[in-house]
Amino acid sequence: MTSRLDGKVALITGASSGIGAATAFHFAEIGAQLALTGRNKEALEKTVKICKEKGYVGEPLVIIADLEKEEDTSNVIDSTINHFHRLDILVNNAGILVNGSIENTSLSDYDRQMNINVRSIFHITSLATPHLIASKGNIVNVSSVTGLRSFPNVNAYCISKSALDQMTRCTALELASKGVRVNAVNPGVIKTDVHLRSGMSEEKYAAYLKHCEETHALGRYGEPKEVAFVIAFLSSEAASFITGATIPVDGGRHAMCPR
C-alpha cells in the first residue's frame, strides 16, 4: 500500500513556507485536493504555483488567515467545507519560535508562543473534528524534537511543543472510537526560515546548521520534504493502524544528548 491521497481533501496551515509548503507540494504530487492557509498572500501564491508545477489539477483553495484570531480560524474551516463539502486531513503546521530562557522570556512573548503553537491548534482542531468524524479522516500535528527532549534558551517553545504532543495523544484517544487518527511528527533542525524569523542572524544561522553535524546522529540538518514525506505517510491508508504517535524526523537527535 502506497501513501497516495487521491481525492482526499487536505487542509494545511502555515502553507506559505518551510514544512507547510513542502507538504503542499508533495500532497499535490500524490493526488490530494488542497486548502492552504497562511498570513502571507504572496508567499501562498508561490506555493500554489509550485503545486501546479507538481501536477495539481485546478486551483488549490487559498485562505489568508491569522490563526491567533478566532474569527479567522473559524473562517478557514467554513471556507474549506463550503468549497470542498468535506475534510479528510488536517495538517496543523503553523507555528512560531520564540527564543528565551526562564530569566528573560516576557509574559507577552510566552503568551504569543502558546497562543499560536497551542491555542490556535486546539481551536482549529475542535472546529475540524465534526467534519473529520464524518469522513473518518485524520490529523497530523507538526511538533518538534523539543517536545520530546529538553533544550535551554527556548523554554516557551519547548513547553508549547510538549503540550502539542500531549494534545496529540489525548485527542487520538478521544477520537479513536470514531475512526479518526491523530499523530504528530517531531522534526529536528530543518532548513527553513523559522530561525531567521525568530531573530537569528544569517551568520549565526550558518554556524547553527554547521553544528548539526554534531547534534544529529546522521551528521546533517534535514530538508522540509523529508518531513513532508512522513506527514503524507501518516495521512494515508498506509498508516491505518497508527494513532497517538509522536514520530521523530530528526536524524536521530532525539536519541542523543548533545549540547
Side-chain angles (χ1 to χ4, degrees), residues 9-13 15 33-37 56 60-63 80 84:
V9 175
L11 169 59
I12 303 171
T13 71
Q33 295 292 299
L34 297 175
L36 308 176
T37 186
Y56 191 87
L61 175 64
V62 173
I63 312 161
T80 300
F84 292 108

Side-chain angles (χ1 to χ4, degrees), residues 37-39 64-73 76 116:
T37 186
R39 291 178 292 184
I64 309 302
D66 179 352
L67 298 184
E68 277 193 280
K69 300 176 180 177
E70 293 179 23
E71 62 273 20
D72 280 18
T73 303
V76 167
I116 295 175

Side-chain angles (χ1 to χ4, degrees), residues 149 250 252-257:
R149 299 298 299 271
D250 66 351
R253 188 172 191 179
H254 73 283
M256 303 172 64
C257 297

Side-chain angles (χ1 to χ4, degrees), residues 139-237:
I139 300 164
V140 182
N141 295 322
V142 179
S143 185
S144 167
V145 66
T146 62
L148 304 173
R149 299 298 299 271
S150 303
F151 297 88
N153 303 315
V154 280
N155 198 318
Y157 183 73
C158 290
I159 293 169
S160 73
K161 292 302 187 179
S162 59
L164 181 56
D165 285 353
Q166 187 72 310
M167 187 193 305
T168 298
R169 291 184 288 266
C170 290
T171 308
L173 295 181
E174 291 167 351
L175 299 183
S177 64
K178 299 177 181 179
V180 177
R181 297 184 298 105
V182 187
N183 295 291
V185 291
N186 295 68
V189 176
I190 307 297
K191 191 177 181 182
T192 68
D193 59 358
V194 66
H195 289 90
L196 296 175
R197 289 202 306 265
S198 74
M200 187 178 287
S201 69
E202 294 275 1
E203 182 180 4
K204 286 186 177 180
Y205 186 52
Y208 182 70
L209 293 179
K210 176 68 175 174
H211 190 49
C212 290
E213 295 176 6
E214 301 174 22
T215 58
H216 293 62
L218 292 181
R220 64 176 177 86
Y221 55 81
E223 297 289 346
K225 66 180 181 180
E226 294 179 295
V227 184
F229 294 155
V230 182
I231 293 171
F233 164 71
L234 290 172
S235 300
S236 76
E237 285 302 309

Side-chain angles (χ1 to χ4, degrees), residues 15-17 36-49 62-66:
S16 57
S17 64
L36 308 176
T37 186
R39 291 178 292 184
N40 189 318
K41 181 180 179 181
E42 183 178 346
L44 279 174
E45 289 173 348
K46 291 180 181 177
T47 298
V48 168
K49 181 176 182 293
V62 173
I63 312 161
I64 309 302
D66 179 352

